[in-house]
């Protein structure tokens, strides 16, 4: 598993592209009109949006409180410090948990049996392997300090008890969230817009003209968001 994790760590950025494309594979529906009535679409819509937004918020809070370098070194697992404060005091992998929730949410939003039953388990297996590879590195570098951290904080389960105290006791750096996440956020929000407009015609009463106008407007807004945040980052006006 550690060897598998080290392999996928090198290519994990491509993993999301693959999984996003897999969302659009034709699939049987989780929620069907025959079982849930004419408003069946509200179930995947509400549940999916809630879960995927929760995932992004968990990532946002984690990054805003205490940032952990995720890129490794030369595409290999690496860490200069053992980050245990902020959200990492409540769960060892809040960023990965956020990623999982984001993908589970959009899978439900797509109402896709294939994505939820095949690709989500595959994604979980790969993430487990990556985490084991990271833990192997951290244990080798930080030894007893890391073991004590593992004994105190769960690998996957986030303990929300006392999270408000953690947030109030630390400086919340929202700019860092935007600077570090604008690429992910833009792709994520674009995906949600596409799903809502083209897979939920009920939202526009089947009016394709209105759908396309909203889509173009959303595309312009997201493009402007991307360009502005990228400019603020590259110009040094915003620093993490």
């Amino acid at each position: 598993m550690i060897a598998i994790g080290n392999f996928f760590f090198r290519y994990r950025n491509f993993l999301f592209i693959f999984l996003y494309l897999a969302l659009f594979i034709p699939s049987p529906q989780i929620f069907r009109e025959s079982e849930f009535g004419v408003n069946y679409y509200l179930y995947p819509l509400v549940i999916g949006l809630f879960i995927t937004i929760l995932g992004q918020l968990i990532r946002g809070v984690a990054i805003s409180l205490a940032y952990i370098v995720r890129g490794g070194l030369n595409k290999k697992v690496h860490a200069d410090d053992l980050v245990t404060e902020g959200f990492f005091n409540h769960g060892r992998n809040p960023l990965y948990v956020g990623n999982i929730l984001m993908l589970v949410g959009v899978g439900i939003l797509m109402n896709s049996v294939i994505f939820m039953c095949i690709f989500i388990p595959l994604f979980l297996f790969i993430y487990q392997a990556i985490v084991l590879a990271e833990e192997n590195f951290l244990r080798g570098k930080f030894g007893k300090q890391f073991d004590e951290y593992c004994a105190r904080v769960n690998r996957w389960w986030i303990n929300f008890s006392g999270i408000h105290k953690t947030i109030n006791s630390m400086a919340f750096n929202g700019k860092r969230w935007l600077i570090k996440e604008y690429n992910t956020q833009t792709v994520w929000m674009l995906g949600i817009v596409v799903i809502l407009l083209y897979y939920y015609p009920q939202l526009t009463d089947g009016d394709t003209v209105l759908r396309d106008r909203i889509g173009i407007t959303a595309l312009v807004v997201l493009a402007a968001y991307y360009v502005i945040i990228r400019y603020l980052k590259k110009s040094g006006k915003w620093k993490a």
Side-chain angles (χ1 to χ4, degrees):
M1 285 292 284
I2 292 173
I4 293 172
N6 283 321
F7 171 81
F8 279 110
F9 183 87
R10 293 172 61 90
Y11 304 105
R12 67 197 184 286
N13 291 333
F14 297 101
L15 181 62
F16 266 94
I17 297 174
F18 168 75
L19 288 169
Y20 265 98
L21 291 176
L23 281 168
F24 300 97
I25 295 175
S27 167
Q29 294 182 322
I30 303 171
F31 301 95
R32 296 184 292 272
E33 185 175 0
S34 60
E35 297 178 4
F36 293 89
V38 294
N39 292 324
Y40 74 97
Y41 67 92
L42 292 176
Y43 290 92
L45 180 65
V46 174
I47 296 172
L49 282 177
F50 174 80
I51 293 175
T52 194
I53 291 173
L54 176 63
Q56 177 59 219
L57 289 176
I58 288 175
R59 285 184 60 84
V61 173
I63 293 171
S64 297
L65 292 179
Y67 183 65
I68 185 171
V69 177
R70 297 162 292 165
L73 182 65
N74 297 323
K75 296 185 177 181
K76 295 181 180 180
V77 177
H78 180 79
D80 292 322
D81 303 297
L82 180 62
V83 179
T84 61
E85 66 268 19
F87 223 133
F88 296 92
N89 190 42
H90 297 265
R92 301 208 306 260
N93 297 284
L95 298 178
Y96 289 163
V97 171
N99 286 346
I100 292 169
L101 290 175
M102 286 170 67
L103 278 176
V104 168
V106 292
I108 294 174
L109 190 60
M110 280 295 291
N111 206 9
S112 172
V113 169
I114 288 178
F115 189 82
M116 294 301 297
C117 293
I118 297 178
F119 290 98
I120 287 298
L122 175 62
F123 181 59
L124 294 177
F125 169 79
I126 292 172
Y127 254 21
Q128 176 72 2
I130 290 175
V131 166
L132 291 176
E134 291 178 337
E135 290 183 352
N136 181 64
F137 173 85
L138 294 172
R139 184 167 286 108
K141 182 168 184 176
F142 298 104
K144 183 179 179 181
Q145 182 184 3
F146 181 69
D147 287 334
E148 291 174 349
Y149 174 59
C150 290
R152 181 171 55 84
V153 181
N154 192 273
R155 175 185 290 153
W156 291 113
W157 181 257
I158 295 178
N159 180 8
F160 286 95
S161 177
I163 189 68
H164 64 287
K165 292 183 179 179
T166 298
I167 295 174
N168 291 334
S169 67
M170 300 183 68
F172 189 88
N173 190 345
K175 290 181 179 180
R176 180 167 59 205
W177 177 12
L178 299 180
I179 289 173
K180 298 296 183 181
E181 289 284 278
Y182 72 97
N183 280 312
T184 300
Q185 288 173 348
T186 302
V187 173
W188 172 68
M189 289 187 289
L190 180 60
I192 290 178
V193 168
V194 170
I195 293 171
L196 292 180
L197 291 179
Y198 291 91
Y199 286 82
Y200 287 87
Q202 301 91 337
L203 298 178
T204 54
D205 292 325
D207 188 336
T208 57
V209 174
L210 175 61
R211 177 200 66 190
D212 292 343
R213 287 177 178 173
I214 295 175
I216 293 171
T217 300
L219 183 61
V220 171
V221 171
L222 289 175
Y225 169 80
Y226 179 88
V227 170
I228 291 171
I229 301 299
R230 182 176 177 81
Y231 166 75
L232 291 172
K233 176 183 178 180
K234 296 298 184 181
S235 67
K237 294 181 183 295
W238 276 11
K239 296 182 180 180

